[in-house]
Coordinates of all heavy atoms in Angstrom, one line a residue:
M1 N 120.1 89.7 49.9 CA 119.6 90.2 51.1 C 118.1 90.3 51.1 O 117.5 90.8 50.1 CB 120.2 91.6 51.3 CG 119.9 92.2 52.6 SD 121.0 93.6 52.9 CE 120.4 94.1 54.4
A2 N 117.5 89.8 52.1 CA 116.0 89.7 52.2 C 115.5 91.1 52.6 O 116.1 91.8 53.4 CB 115.5 88.7 53.2
P3 N 114.3 91.5 52.0 CA 113.8 92.8 52.4 C 113.2 92.8 53.8 O 112.8 91.7 54.3 CB 112.7 93.1 51.4 CG 112.3 91.7 50.9 CD 113.6 90.9 51.0
K4 N 113.3 93.9 54.5 CA 112.8 94.0 55.9 C 111.3 94.1 55.9 O 110.7 94.8 55.1 CB 113.3 95.2 56.6 CG 114.8 95.1 57.0 CD 115.2 96.4 57.8 CE 116.6 96.3 58.2 NZ 117.0 97.4 59.0
R5 N 110.7 93.3 56.7 CA 109.2 93.4 56.8 C 108.8 94.4 57.8 O 109.5 94.6 58.8 CB 108.6 92.0 57.3 CG 108.7 91.0 56.2 CD 107.8 89.8 56.6 NE 108.6 88.9 57.3 CZ 108.2 87.9 58.0 NH1 106.9 87.6 58.1 NH2 108.9 87.0 58.6
M6 N 107.8 95.1 57.5 CA 107.3 96.2 58.4 C 106.5 95.6 59.5 O 105.7 94.7 59.3 CB 106.5 97.2 57.6 CG 107.4 97.9 56.6 SD 106.8 99.6 56.1 CE 106.5 100.4 57.6
Q7 N 106.7 96.1 60.7 CA 106.0 95.6 61.9 C 104.7 96.4 61.9 O 104.6 97.6 61.7 CB 106.8 95.9 63.2 CG 108.1 95.2 63.3 CD 107.9 93.8 63.8 OE1 106.9 93.5 64.5 NE2 108.8 92.9 63.5
P8 N 103.6 95.7 62.3 CA 102.3 96.5 62.4 C 102.4 97.4 63.6 O 103.1 97.1 64.6 CB 101.3 95.4 62.6 CG 102.0 94.2 63.1 CD 103.4 94.3 62.5
P9 N 101.8 98.5 63.6 CA 101.9 99.4 64.7 C 101.2 98.8 66.0 O 100.3 98.1 65.9 CB 101.1 100.7 64.3 CG 100.2 100.2 63.2 CD 100.9 99.0 62.6
S10 N 101.9 99.0 67.1 CA 101.4 98.4 68.3 C 100.1 99.2 68.8 O 100.0 100.4 68.5 CB 102.4 98.5 69.4 OG 102.8 99.8 69.7
P11 N 99.2 98.5 69.4 CA 97.9 99.2 69.8 C 98.3 100.2 70.9 O 99.3 100.1 71.7 CB 97.1 98.1 70.4 CG 98.0 97.0 70.7 CD 99.1 97.1 69.7
P12 N 97.5 101.3 71.1 CA 97.8 102.3 72.1 C 97.7 101.7 73.5 O 96.8 100.8 73.7 CB 96.8 103.4 71.9 CG 95.7 102.7 71.1 CD 96.3 101.6 70.3
R13 N 98.6 102.1 74.4 CA 98.6 101.6 75.7 C 97.4 102.2 76.5 O 97.1 103.3 76.4 CB 99.8 101.9 76.5 CG 101.0 101.2 75.9 CD 102.3 101.4 76.7 NE 102.2 100.9 78.0 CZ 102.5 99.7 78.4 NH1 102.9 98.8 77.5 NH2 102.4 99.3 79.6
R14 N 96.6 101.3 77.2 CA 95.5 101.7 77.9 C 95.7 101.7 79.4 O 96.3 100.8 79.9 CB 94.3 100.8 77.6 CG 93.9 100.9 76.1 CD 92.7 100.0 75.8 NE 91.6 100.3 76.7 CZ 90.4 99.7 76.6 NH1 90.2 98.8 75.8 NH2 89.5 100.1 77.4
T15 N 95.3 102.7 80.1 CA 95.5 102.8 81.5 C 94.4 101.9 82.2 O 93.4 101.5 81.5 CB 95.3 104.2 82.0 OG1 94.0 104.7 81.7 CG2 96.4 105.1 81.4
L16 N 94.6 101.7 83.4 CA 93.6 100.9 84.2 C 92.3 101.6 84.2 O 91.2 100.9 84.0 CB 94.1 100.7 85.6 CG 93.3 99.8 86.5 CD1 93.2 98.4 85.9 CD2 93.8 99.8 87.9
W17 N 92.3 102.9 84.3 CA 91.0 103.7 84.3 C 90.3 103.5 82.9 O 89.1 103.3 82.9 CB 91.3 105.1 84.6 CG 90.0 106.0 84.6 CD1 89.7 106.9 83.7 CD2 89.0 105.9 85.6 NE1 88.5 107.5 84.0 CE2 88.0 106.9 85.2 CE3 88.7 105.1 86.7 CZ2 86.8 107.1 85.9 CZ3 87.5 105.4 87.4 CH2 86.6 106.3 87.0
M18 N 91.1 103.6 81.9 CA 90.5 103.4 80.5 C 89.9 102.0 80.3 O 88.8 101.9 79.8 CB 91.5 103.7 79.4 CG 92.0 105.1 79.4 SD 93.5 105.4 78.3 CE 92.8 105.0 76.7
M19 N 90.6 101.0 80.9 CA 90.0 99.6 80.8 C 88.7 99.5 81.6 O 87.8 98.9 81.2 CB 91.1 98.6 81.3 CG 92.2 98.4 80.3 SD 93.3 97.1 80.7 CE 94.3 97.9 81.9
Y20 N 88.7 100.1 82.8 CA 87.5 100.1 83.7 C 86.4 100.8 83.0 O 85.2 100.3 83.0 CB 87.9 100.8 85.0 CG 86.7 100.9 85.9 CD1 86.1 99.8 86.6 CD2 86.0 102.1 86.1 CE1 85.0 99.9 87.4 CE2 85.0 102.3 86.9 CZ 84.4 101.2 87.6 OH 83.3 101.3 88.4
K21 N 86.7 102.0 82.4 CA 85.6 102.7 81.7 C 85.1 102.0 80.4 O 84.0 102.2 80.0 CB 86.1 104.1 81.3 CG 86.3 105.0 82.5 CD 85.1 105.3 83.2 CE 84.3 106.4 82.5 NZ 83.1 106.8 83.3
G22 N 85.9 101.0 79.9 CA 85.5 100.3 78.8 C 84.5 99.1 79.1 O 83.9 98.6 78.2
I23 N 84.4 98.8 80.4 CA 83.4 97.8 80.8 C 82.0 98.3 80.7 O 81.8 99.5 81.1 CB 83.8 97.3 82.2 CG1 85.2 96.7 82.3 CG2 82.7 96.3 82.7 CD1 85.6 96.4 83.7
E24 N 81.1 97.5 80.3 CA 79.7 97.9 80.3 C 79.2 98.4 81.7 O 79.6 97.8 82.7 CB 78.9 96.7 79.8 CG 77.5 97.1 79.4 CD 76.7 95.9 78.8 OE1 77.4 95.1 78.2 OE2 75.5 95.8 79.1
P25 N 78.5 99.5 81.7 CA 78.1 100.1 83.0 C 77.4 99.1 84.0 O 77.6 99.1 85.2 CB 77.1 101.2 82.7 CG 77.5 101.6 81.3 CD 78.0 100.4 80.6
R26 N 76.6 98.2 83.4 CA 75.9 97.2 84.2 C 77.0 96.3 85.0 O 76.8 96.0 86.2 CB 75.0 96.3 83.4 CG 74.4 95.2 84.1 CD 73.6 94.3 83.1 NE 73.1 93.1 83.8 CZ 72.5 92.2 83.2 NH1 72.3 92.2 81.9 NH2 72.1 91.1 83.9
Y27 N 78.0 95.9 84.3 CA 79.0 95.1 84.9 C 79.9 95.9 85.8 O 80.5 95.3 86.8 CB 79.8 94.3 83.8 CG 78.9 93.4 83.1 CD1 78.6 93.6 81.7 CD2 78.3 92.3 83.7 CE1 77.8 92.7 81.0 CE2 77.5 91.4 83.0 CZ 77.2 91.6 81.7 OH 76.4 90.8 81.0
R28 N 80.1 97.2 85.6 CA 80.9 98.0 86.5 C 80.1 98.1 87.8 O 80.8 98.0 88.9 CB 81.1 99.4 86.0 CG 82.2 99.5 85.0 CD 82.5 100.9 84.6 NE 81.4 101.4 83.7 CZ 81.4 102.6 83.2 NH1 82.3 103.5 83.5 NH2 80.4 102.9 82.4
I29 N 78.8 98.2 87.8 CA 78.0 98.2 89.0 C 78.1 96.9 89.8 O 78.4 96.9 91.0 CB 76.5 98.6 88.7 CG1 76.4 100.0 88.3 CG2 75.6 98.3 89.9 CD1 75.0 100.4 87.7
L30 N 78.0 95.8 89.0 CA 78.2 94.5 89.6 C 79.5 94.3 90.2 O 79.7 93.7 91.3 CB 77.8 93.4 88.6 CG 76.4 93.3 88.2 CD1 76.2 92.3 87.1 CD2 75.5 93.0 89.4
L31 N 80.6 94.8 89.5 CA 81.9 94.7 90.1 C 82.1 95.5 91.4 O 82.7 94.9 92.3 CB 82.9 95.2 89.0 CG 84.4 95.0 89.3 CD1 84.8 93.6 89.3 CD2 85.2 95.8 88.2
G32 N 81.6 96.7 91.4 CA 81.6 97.5 92.6 C 80.9 96.8 93.8 O 81.3 96.8 94.9
M33 N 79.7 96.3 93.5 CA 78.9 95.6 94.5 C 79.6 94.4 95.0 O 79.6 94.0 96.2 CB 77.5 95.3 94.0 CG 76.7 96.5 93.8 SD 75.1 96.1 93.0 CE 74.3 95.2 94.3
G34 N 80.3 93.7 94.1 CA 81.1 92.5 94.5 C 82.2 92.9 95.4 O 82.5 92.2 96.4
F35 N 82.9 94.0 95.1 CA 84.0 94.5 96.0 C 83.5 94.9 97.4 O 84.1 94.6 98.4 CB 84.8 95.6 95.4 CG 85.8 95.2 94.4 CD1 85.8 95.8 93.1 CD2 86.7 94.3 94.6 CE1 86.7 95.5 92.2 CE2 87.6 93.9 93.7 CZ 87.6 94.5 92.4
M36 N 82.3 95.5 97.4 CA 81.7 95.9 98.7 C 81.3 94.7 99.5 O 81.5 94.6 100.7 CB 80.5 96.9 98.4 CG 81.0 98.3 98.0 SD 79.6 99.4 98.0 CE 78.7 98.9 96.6
G37 N 80.7 93.7 98.8 CA 80.3 92.5 99.5 C 81.5 91.7 100.1 O 81.4 91.2 101.2
F38 N 82.6 91.7 99.3 CA 83.8 91.0 99.8 C 84.3 91.7 101.0 O 84.8 91.1 102.0 CB 84.8 91.0 98.6 CG 86.1 90.3 99.0 CD1 86.2 88.9 99.1 CD2 87.2 91.1 99.2 CE1 87.4 88.3 99.4 CE2 88.4 90.5 99.6 CZ 88.5 89.1 99.7
S39 N 84.3 93.1 101.0 CA 84.8 93.9 102.1 C 83.9 93.6 103.3 O 84.4 93.5 104.5 CB 84.8 95.3 101.8 OG 85.7 95.6 100.7
M40 N 82.6 93.6 103.1 CA 81.7 93.4 104.3 C 81.9 92.0 104.9 O 81.9 91.8 106.1 CB 80.3 93.7 103.8 CG 80.0 95.1 103.6 SD 78.4 95.4 102.8 CE 77.3 94.8 104.1
F41 N 82.1 91.0 104.0 CA 82.3 89.7 104.5 C 83.6 89.6 105.3 O 83.7 89.0 106.3 CB 82.4 88.7 103.3 CG 82.7 87.3 103.7 CD1 81.8 86.5 104.3 CD2 84.0 86.8 103.4 CE1 82.0 85.2 104.7 CE2 84.3 85.5 103.8 CZ 83.3 84.7 104.4
G42 N 84.7 90.3 104.8 CA 85.9 90.4 105.6 C 85.8 91.0 107.0 O 86.3 90.5 107.9
L43 N 85.0 92.1 107.1 CA 84.7 92.7 108.4 C 83.9 91.8 109.3 O 84.2 91.6 110.5 CB 84.0 94.0 108.2 CG 84.7 95.1 107.5 CD1 83.8 96.3 107.2 CD2 85.9 95.6 108.5
W44 N 82.9 91.1 108.7 CA 82.1 90.1 109.5 C 83.0 89.0 110.0 O 82.9 88.6 111.2 CB 81.0 89.6 108.6 CG 80.1 88.6 109.3 CD1 79.1 88.9 110.2 CD2 80.1 87.2 109.1 NE1 78.5 87.7 110.6 CE2 79.1 86.7 110.0 CE3 80.9 86.3 108.4 CZ2 78.9 85.3 110.1 CZ3 80.7 85.0 108.5 CH2 79.7 84.5 109.3
V45 N 83.8 88.4 109.1 CA 84.7 87.3 109.6 C 85.7 87.8 110.6 O 85.9 87.1 111.6 CB 85.5 86.7 108.4 CG1 86.6 85.8 108.8 CG2 84.5 86.0 107.5
S46 N 86.3 89.0 110.5 CA 87.2 89.5 111.5 C 86.6 89.7 112.8 O 87.2 89.4 113.9 CB 87.9 90.7 111.0 OG 87.0 91.8 111.0
D47 N 85.3 90.2 112.8 CA 84.6 90.3 114.1 C 84.3 88.9 114.8 O 84.5 88.8 116.0 CB 83.3 91.0 113.9 CG 83.4 92.5 113.7 OD1 84.5 93.0 114.0 OD2 82.4 93.1 113.2
R48 N 84.0 88.0 114.0 CA 83.7 86.6 114.5 C 85.0 86.0 115.1 O 85.0 85.4 116.1 CB 83.2 85.7 113.4 CG 81.8 86.1 112.9 CD 80.7 85.9 113.9 NE 79.5 86.3 113.4 CZ 78.6 87.0 114.0 NH1 78.7 87.2 115.3 NH2 77.4 87.3 113.5
L49 N 86.1 86.2 114.3 CA 87.4 85.7 114.8 C 87.9 86.3 116.1 O 88.4 85.7 117.0 CB 88.5 85.8 113.7 CG 88.3 84.9 112.5 CD1 89.3 85.2 111.5 CD2 88.5 83.4 113.0
E50 N 87.6 87.7 116.2 CA 88.0 88.4 117.4 C 87.2 87.9 118.6 O 87.7 87.8 119.7 CB 87.8 89.9 117.2 CG 88.4 90.7 118.2 CD 88.3 92.2 117.9 OE1 87.8 92.6 116.9 OE2 88.9 93.0 118.8
K51 N 85.9 87.6 118.4 CA 85.1 87.0 119.5 C 85.6 85.6 119.9 O 85.6 85.2 121.0 CB 83.6 87.0 119.1 CG 83.0 88.4 119.1 CD 81.6 88.3 118.7 CE 81.0 89.7 118.6 NZ 79.6 89.7 118.1
A52 N 85.9 84.8 118.9 CA 86.3 83.4 119.1 C 87.7 83.3 119.7 O 87.9 82.5 120.6 CB 86.3 82.6 117.8
Y53 N 88.6 84.2 119.3 CA 90.0 84.2 119.9 C 90.3 85.6 120.4 O 91.0 86.4 119.8 CB 90.9 83.9 118.7 CG 90.7 82.5 118.1 CD1 90.0 82.5 116.8 CD2 91.0 81.4 118.7 CE1 89.7 81.3 116.2 CE2 90.7 80.1 118.1 CZ 90.1 80.1 116.9 OH 89.8 78.9 116.3
P54 N 89.8 85.9 121.6 CA 90.1 87.2 122.2 C 91.6 87.4 122.5 O 92.2 86.4 122.8 CB 89.2 87.3 123.4 CG 89.0 85.9 123.8 CD 89.0 85.1 122.5
P55 N 92.1 88.6 122.4 CA 93.5 88.8 122.7 C 93.7 88.6 124.2 O 92.8 88.9 125.1 CB 93.7 90.3 122.4 CG 92.4 90.9 122.3 CD 91.4 89.8 122.0
E56 N 94.9 88.0 124.6 CA 95.1 87.7 126.0 C 95.3 88.9 126.8 O 94.9 89.0 128.0 CB 96.3 86.8 126.1 CG 96.1 85.4 125.4 CD 97.3 84.6 125.4 OE1 98.3 84.9 126.0 OE2 97.2 83.5 124.8
A57 N 96.0 89.9 126.3 CA 96.3 91.2 127.0 C 96.4 92.3 126.0 O 96.7 92.1 124.8 CB 97.6 91.1 127.8
D58 N 96.2 93.5 126.5 CA 96.3 94.6 125.6 C 97.8 95.0 125.5 O 98.4 95.5 126.5 CB 95.5 95.8 126.1 CG 95.4 96.9 125.1 OD1 95.8 96.7 124.0 OD2 94.9 98.0 125.5
T59 N 98.4 94.7 124.4 CA 99.8 94.9 124.2 C 100.2 96.2 123.4 O 101.3 96.4 123.1 CB 100.5 93.7 123.5 OG1 99.9 93.5 122.3 CG2 100.4 92.5 124.4
R60 N 99.1 97.0 123.1 CA 99.4 98.2 122.3 C 100.1 99.2 123.2 O 99.8 99.4 124.4 CB 98.1 98.8 121.8 CG 97.4 97.9 120.8 CD 96.1 98.4 120.4 NE 95.2 98.4 121.6 CZ 94.0 98.9 121.6 NH1 93.5 99.6 120.6 NH2 93.2 98.8 122.7
V61 N 101.0 100.0 122.6 CA 101.7 101.1 123.2 C 100.9 102.3 122.9 O 100.7 102.7 121.7 CB 103.1 101.2 122.7 CG1 103.8 102.4 123.3 CG2 103.9 99.9 123.0
T62 N 100.4 103.0 124.0 CA 99.6 104.2 123.7 C 100.5 105.4 123.5 O 100.3 106.1 122.5 CB 98.7 104.4 124.9 OG1 99.5 104.5 126.1 CG2 97.7 103.3 125.0
H63 N 101.5 105.6 124.3 CA 102.4 106.8 124.1 C 103.7 106.6 124.9 O 103.6 106.2 126.1 CB 101.7 108.1 124.5 CG 102.6 109.3 124.4 ND1 103.0 109.8 123.2 CD2 103.3 110.0 125.3 CE1 103.8 110.8 123.4 NE2 104.0 110.9 124.7
V64 N 104.8 106.8 124.2 CA 106.1 106.7 124.9 C 106.8 108.0 124.5 O 107.0 108.2 123.3 CB 106.9 105.5 124.4 CG1 108.2 105.5 125.0 CG2 106.1 104.2 124.7
S65 N 107.1 108.7 125.5 CA 107.8 110.0 125.2 C 109.3 109.7 125.1 O 109.9 108.7 125.5 CB 107.6 111.0 126.4 OG 108.3 110.5 127.5
H66 N 110.0 110.6 124.5 CA 111.5 110.5 124.3 C 112.2 110.4 125.6 O 113.1 109.7 125.8 CB 112.0 111.7 123.5 CG 113.5 111.6 123.2 ND1 114.0 110.7 122.4 CD2 114.5 112.4 123.7 CE1 115.3 110.9 122.4 NE2 115.6 111.9 123.2
H67 N 111.7 111.2 126.6 CA 112.3 111.2 128.0 C 112.2 109.8 128.6 O 113.1 109.3 129.2 CB 111.6 112.2 128.9 CG 112.1 112.2 130.3 ND1 113.3 112.7 130.6 CD2 111.5 111.8 131.4 CE1 113.5 112.5 131.9 NE2 112.3 112.0 132.4
D68 N 111.0 109.1 128.5 CA 110.8 107.8 129.0 C 111.7 106.8 128.3 O 112.3 105.9 129.0 CB 109.4 107.3 128.9 CG 108.4 108.2 129.7 OD1 108.8 108.8 130.7 OD2 107.2 108.2 129.3
T69 N 111.9 106.9 127.0 CA 112.8 106.0 126.3 C 114.2 106.2 126.8 O 114.9 105.2 127.0 CB 112.7 106.2 124.8 OG1 111.3 106.1 124.4 CG2 113.5 105.2 124.0
A70 N 114.7 107.4 126.9 CA 116.0 107.7 127.3 C 116.3 107.2 128.7 O 117.3 106.6 129.0 CB 116.3 109.2 127.2
A71 N 115.3 107.3 129.6 CA 115.5 106.9 131.0 C 115.5 105.4 131.0 O 116.3 104.8 131.8 CB 114.3 107.4 131.8
A72 N 114.7 104.7 130.2 CA 114.8 103.2 130.2 C 116.1 102.7 129.7 O 116.7 101.7 130.2 CB 113.6 102.7 129.4
E73 N 116.6 103.3 128.6 CA 117.9 102.9 128.1 C 119.0 103.1 129.0 O 119.9 102.3 129.2 CB 118.2 103.7 126.8 CG 117.3 103.2 125.6 CD 117.5 104.1 124.4 OE1 118.2 105.1 124.4 OE2 116.9 103.7 123.3
S74 N 119.0 104.3 129.8 CA 120.1 104.5 130.7 C 120.0 103.6 131.9 O 121.0 103.1 132.4 CB 120.0 106.0 131.2 OG 118.9 106.2 132.0
S75 N 118.8 103.2 132.3 CA 118.7 102.2 133.4 C 119.2 100.8 133.0 O 119.8 100.1 133.7 CB 117.3 102.2 134.0 OG 116.4 101.6 133.0
Q76 N 118.9 100.5 131.7 CA 119.4 99.2 131.2 C 120.9 99.2 131.1 O 121.6 98.2 131.4 CB 118.8 98.9 129.8 CG 117.4 98.5 129.8 CD 116.8 98.2 128.4 OE1 117.4 98.6 127.5 NE2 115.7 97.5 128.4
N77 N 121.5 100.3 130.7 CA 122.9 100.4 130.5 C 123.6 100.3 131.9 O 124.6 99.7 132.1 CB 123.4 101.7 129.9 CG 123.0 101.8 128.4 OD1 122.8 100.7 127.8 ND2 122.9 103.0 127.8
R78 N 123.0 100.9 132.9 CA 123.6 100.8 134.3 C 123.4 99.4 134.8 O 124.3 98.9 135.5 CB 122.9 101.8 135.2 CG 123.4 103.2 135.1 CD 122.7 104.1 136.0 NE 121.4 104.4 135.4 CZ 120.5 105.1 135.9 NH1 120.6 105.7 137.1 NH2 119.4 105.3 135.2
A79 N 122.3 98.7 134.5 CA 122.1 97.4 135.0 C 123.1 96.4 134.3 O 123.5 95.4 134.9 CB 120.7 96.9 134.8
G80 N 123.4 96.6 133.1 CA 124.2 95.7 132.3 C 125.7 95.9 132.6 O 126.5 95.0 132.4
S81 N 126.1 97.0 133.2 CA 127.5 97.3 133.5 C 128.0 96.6 134.7 O 127.5 96.2 135.6 CB 127.7 98.8 133.7 OG 127.4 99.5 132.6

């Protein structure tokens, strides 16, 4: 019977925050600035796209009360019968 080999201990698990804190401060600043630049670029592109392709109509629902919904359902039920 062969002797069992011992496994080396596994390294401690690091959280995302611990990995982030392990990055050199200069590169953490650059990473943050990169995320902000990417976000600003996304906002700029979305504004340009909204101007280039305006919505045809405002289809947002502002407020529908329970009473209005029940009345619409009952009128549909009467029309379908």
